Amino acid sequence: MTKSELIARLAERFPQLGVKDADYAVKVILDAMTLALSRADRIEIRGFGSFALNYRPPRMGRNPKSGEKVQVPQKYVPHFKAGKELRERVDAQ
């Protein structure tokens, strides 16, 4: 599902919300989640899952084009862990 499909479904399910309102609601939620992760906060949505940051230490990598070794710096990457209810619903499919 894409962002635009999510907006369309939200507007369809709640007719009192226009497409612009649904677009704004999705944008606000995603912006809030992005801000929380950029501050290294954990996001937990009960029944759905949680988002947190994983630390990746610096390492030696390889340029696939030239084959030369390249130093890859440390970084934090977002990580999603599905909640129990979501795992059960997906497994039932």
Side-chain angles (χ1 to χ4, degrees):
M1 174 181 283
T2 65
K3 182 178 171 184
S4 57
E5 290 172 340
L6 177 62
I7 292 166
R9 277 207 184 157
L10 190 59
E12 179 183 304
R13 183 163 180 193
F14 298 98
Q16 68 271 25
L17 286 178
V19 174
K20 273 189 163 186
D21 294 330
D23 181 37
Y24 184 71
V26 170
K27 183 181 180 334
V28 167
I29 290 170
L30 294 178
D31 286 347
M33 292 174 72
T34 302
L35 181 63
L37 285 174
S38 70
R39 291 189 314 230
D41 292 341
R42 185 171 182 270
I43 300 168
E44 182 177 333
I45 303 169
R46 303 257 178 195
F48 181 71
S50 62
F51 296 86
L53 295 179
N54 275 358
Y55 173 73
R56 299 249 173 107
R59 62 183 174 86
M60 286 302 294
R62 188 179 66 81
N63 182 336
K65 198 170 191 178
S66 65
E68 68 181 81
K69 290 186 178 187
V70 180
Q71 179 66 30
V72 178
Q74 70 177 6
K75 61 184 168 181
Y76 287 90
V77 294
H79 174 75
F80 173 72
K81 182 177 179 186
K84 181 180 177 185
E85 184 180 331
L86 177 62
R87 287 192 314 264
E88 289 172 353
R89 290 178 74 175
V90 169
D91 190 38
Q93 295 297 324

